[in-house]
Amino acid sequence: MPEPESTYLPWQISGTYLEACNCEAICPCRTVGGRKGGRSTNGVCTGSLSWLIDEGMAGETDLSGLRTVLALRYDDDEEGSPWDFFLYLDQRADAAQREALEGILLGRLGGSPELQFPWVWKPSRLLGVRQVAIEIDHTPGRGWFRAGGEVTVRVREPIADPEPVTCVIPGHHQRGRELIAERMAVHDGPLEFELSGRCGYESSFAYSSQPS
């Protein structure tokens, strides 16, 4: 019998992306004007990321319209800079959709995440996978998202910068826009933080099992 993972190959998902973290804008981890970023503002980074899948397939499993969120913490001064994170999956996803999304976002199905997701190619500690109600509005410059009662993010406005800003997670080949986050709150066990006036970032994304 085929391995369960092969059921979801090949896969591809595309859509819109929004994140916020505790760094000062522009987040020093980003690439600005082609100059690579580095250490986070505070040494310890806390944040949350969201993906709204406009179109997606994993094998014969349709992922279009589904939403995912990730909440994270990492320490630049801890050996290996491991990521501690929760993954939140859309409660509307059926068993196959959940398995496919989990396989993609955790890097188990290979492809783009092995190149673009730090929690895949760096040391990481998965704190849990939760299937919850997720709401996402990626209106440019004024987006927001919620995952259950654990995560809330809302951005206030874009910042003006003449140079292109890119982020590794949606991909440096995708130009995005730096934002100011009005609110970022995560309350889930070991991840407990709430901030305002820090950085955000919006972009589109296109991932696949066979990135070009």
Side-chain angles (χ1 to χ4, degrees), residues 10-199:
W11 65 265
Q12 64 82 27
I13 57 174
S14 60
T16 53
Y17 173 85
L18 178 66
E19 69 163 66
C21 78
N22 66 331
C23 284
E24 301 292 342
I26 297 173
C27 176
C29 303
R30 310 217 202 281
T31 294
V32 181
R35 301 182 300 276
K36 291 186 177 181
R39 181 183 174 86
S40 60
T41 300
N42 304 294
V44 175
C45 182
T46 56
S48 188
L49 327 173
S50 68
W51 297 263
L52 176 57
I53 300 171
D54 292 329
E55 297 182 355
M57 293 292 295
E60 299 300 315
T61 300
D62 188 359
L63 303 177
S64 302
L66 294 177
R67 308 153 184 164
T68 61
V69 168
L70 187 146
L72 67 99
R73 178 191 184 278
Y74 73 86
D75 187 338
D76 283 321
D77 296 323
E78 187 173 347
E79 186 177 356
S81 189
W83 284 51
D84 294 330
F85 69 100
F86 282 104
L87 177 63
Y88 304 91
L89 301 179
D90 198 325
Q91 70 174 10
R92 301 172 302 152
D94 63 24
Q97 290 171 322
R98 174 189 168 121
E99 190 172 48
L101 286 173
E102 190 172 331
I104 291 169
L105 272 295
L106 297 181
R108 295 170 183 165
L109 295 178
S112 304
E114 295 180 329
L115 304 174
Q116 294 176 223
F117 295 176
W119 59 93
V120 172
W121 50 263
K122 294 175 70 173
S124 64
R125 295 181 287 241
L126 176 62
L127 301 174
V129 178
R130 310 201 190 287
Q131 195 161 4
V132 300
I134 297 177
E135 299 175 89
I136 292 180
D137 181 345
H138 283 171
T139 300
R142 300 185 64 183
W144 60 270
F145 59 90
R146 284 192 290 266
E150 291 82 8
V151 179
T152 302
V153 170
R154 182 179 296 274
V155 299
R156 185 173 68 221
E157 60 190 356
I159 69 165
D161 192 273
E163 295 187 289
V165 180
T166 64
C167 174
V168 66
I169 296 171
H172 289 304
H173 58 290
Q174 304 271 12
R175 181 167 177 171
R177 186 161 62 162
E178 192 78 1
L179 308 156
I180 299 296
E182 181 177 90
R183 183 176 185 229
M184 178 184 67
V186 174
H187 300 288
D188 196 353
L191 297 186
E192 291 282 339
F193 47 89
E194 188 161 346
L195 298 163
S196 63
R198 303 301 174 87
C199 75

